Amino acid sequence: MVGLTLDPKVLIDIRRHRLKLIGNTDTMGMVRQNGTEYVDEEAVKAELLWARRLCASRGWPVIDVSRRSIEETAATVVQLMDAWHERQKAAQAAPRADAATS
């Protein structure tokens, strides 16, 4: 699992654009009060903080994608996955090495 986050102002801009595309209708409970909570800076900051805390509590890495291209983000995710796989291999090899020396 990898968390993706971004600057609150960037997220608000994305959400405002989305609201213009879909209109200010209630979309499955996500857009309330004509979209004000959906784009309210304090509400967005709280939402992003909650997500960061969730990732931290689970030990998941977080990538800030505010100024990254999709390709850069994907490359970072692949690097994180490769590093995780290497740690898993090392952890599996360590008990075998300990058993061989006993």
Side-chain angles (χ1 to χ4, degrees), residues 39-94:
V39 295
D40 176 71
E41 188 170 357
E42 292 306 313
V44 170
K45 284 180 180 179
E47 184 181 336
L48 291 170
L49 179 61
W50 178 86
R52 279 190 174 275
R53 286 181 175 161
L54 174 67
C55 290
S57 72
R58 304 283 198 274
W60 300 333
V62 176
I63 302 170
D64 187 329
V65 298
S66 299
R67 291 168 183 80
R68 286 181 182 248
S69 68
I70 291 172
E71 295 83 1
E72 290 171 309
T73 302
T76 302
V77 169
V78 169
Q79 289 172 348
L80 288 168
M81 287 175 44
D82 288 345
W84 182 84
H85 284 292
E86 288 300 318
R87 286 192 304 273
Q88 294 300 309
K89 286 180 188 175
Q92 289 174 356

Side-chain angles (χ1 to χ4, degrees), residues 13-50:
D13 286 344
I14 291 168
R15 288 180 172 187
R16 281 191 177 129
H17 180 72
R18 185 176 296 143
L19 285 173
K20 286 179 186 176
L21 292 175
I22 64 170
N24 284 343
T25 59
D26 189 346
T27 305
M28 298 188 333
M30 289 186 359
V31 182
R32 287 171 237 122
Q33 303 166 6
N34 292 326
T36 55
E37 188 172 319
Y38 187 60
V39 295
D40 176 71
E41 188 170 357
E42 292 306 313
V44 170
K45 284 180 180 179
E47 184 181 336
L48 291 170
L49 179 61
W50 178 86

